[in-house]
């Protein structure tokens, strides 16, 4: 394991080893998903946070963990986000491709899991080897609104807090949403403002800045 520490949180990146084949009965549940991007939930007293329903953790030991970090959810208090990778045979190719996903944990219990629907993704993490976007975090991969950012290959994935977990807005690689599928850079400045520069399906390069739970996008 290797760790990088900022003044706001600690991120642990896993290294080494490859995941076993996906069992036919692998559970592929997803966290609660919001209908559309919205402003982050209002902060609540963490003492009043509800105990979220437990998911059957069938991915641990089958999928390779690529990162983990504790984040301060505005409603549920401290939650842990773990990212995962499941390689696709043959494993001798480099870089290895497969499926990616993330899980949400509360007090050590799995309370959510989501994965992409493909098998050609590169590992997902706050910063990842072989990923194309240039990544610049002044402090952390969490912006001032509590959104969490990751990269995988050419893609940028972002998770926004909901009342009972996180929503990836179908930005996992292989999803139908191609918003940041061809990203050039991901920046979170020292004010906690996140900006993603990416090429859209029409070949236009856009700069998208997160403000109030939605991205404000303009051509560059």
């Amino acid at each position: 394991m290797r760790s990088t520490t900022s003044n706001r949180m600690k991120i642990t990146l896993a290294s080494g080893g490859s995941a076993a084949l996906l069992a036919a009965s692998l559970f592929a549940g997803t966290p609660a998903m919001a209908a559309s991007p919205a402003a982050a939930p209002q902060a609540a007293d963490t003492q009043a946070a509800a105990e979220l329903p437990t998911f059957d953790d069938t991915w641990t030991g089958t999928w390779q963990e690529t990162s983990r970090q504790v984040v301060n959810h505005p409603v549920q208090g401290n939650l842990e986000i773990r990212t995962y990778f499941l390689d696709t045979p043959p494993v001798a190719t480099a870089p290895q491709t497969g499926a990616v996903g993330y899980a949400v944990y509360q007090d050590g219990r799995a309370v959510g899991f989501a994965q992409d629907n493909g098998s050609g993704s590169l590992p997902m993490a706050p910063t990842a080897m072989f990923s194309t976007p240039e990544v610049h975090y002044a402090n952390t991969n969490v912006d001032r609104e509590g959104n969490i950012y990751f990269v995988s290959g050419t893609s940028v994935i972002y998770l926004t807090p909901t009342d009972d977990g996180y929503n990836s807005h179908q930005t996992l690689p292989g999803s139908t949403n191609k918003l940041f599928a061809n990203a050039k850079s991901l920046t979170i400045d020292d004010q906690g403002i996140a900006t993603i520069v990416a090429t859209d399906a029409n070949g236009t390069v856009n700069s998208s800045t997160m403000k109030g739970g939605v991205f404000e996008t303009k051509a560059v």
Side-chain angles (χ1 to χ4, degrees), residues 6-188:
S6 75
N7 63 349
R8 293 172 61 184
M9 69 170 55
K10 180 177 181 181
I11 301 170
T12 302
L13 304 179
S15 61
S18 61
L21 297 181
L22 175 62
S25 60
L26 176 65
F27 177 77
T30 58
M33 303 292 281
S36 61
Q42 296 298 310
D45 185 346
T46 56
Q47 296 298 320
E51 182 175 291
L52 297 172
T54 300
F55 272 52
D56 185 13
D57 185 345
T58 59
W59 53 89
T60 298
T62 302
W63 291 60
Q64 177 185 347
E65 184 180 314
T66 54
S67 73
R68 66 168 63 189
Q69 66 189 95
V70 174
V71 294
N72 185 17
H73 189 280
V75 174
Q76 300 299 334
N78 285 343
L79 295 177
E80 186 175 56
I81 306 294
R82 302 179 191 177
T83 59
Y84 291 91
F85 176 70
L86 182 74
D87 60 21
T88 302
V91 297
T93 61
Q96 182 60 37
T97 60
V100 298
Y102 71 95
V104 182
Y105 288 80
Q106 182 184 52
D107 298 326
R109 299 177 302 104
V111 296
F113 179 73
Q115 67 177 90
D116 68 0
N117 58 6
S119 59
S121 302
L122 292 169
M124 168 182 168
T127 59
M129 188 178 296
F130 303 116
S131 290
T132 301
E134 295 183 8
V135 178
H136 307 282
Y137 301 135
N139 294 295
T140 175
N141 65 321
V142 182
D143 71 15
R144 64 181 181 179
E145 299 179 25
N147 306 305
I148 312 168
Y149 297 80
F150 302 94
V151 291
S152 169
T154 62
S155 297
V156 170
I157 303 102
Y158 75 101
L159 312 182
T160 61
T162 63
D163 285 342
D164 56 359
Y166 285 90
N167 182 352
S168 63
H169 301 281
Q170 294 185 308
T171 56
L172 288 169
S175 298
T176 56
N177 184 350
K178 302 301 181 184
L179 183 61
F180 302 127
N182 191 11
K184 295 180 176 295
S185 66
L186 163 62
T187 301
I188 302 180

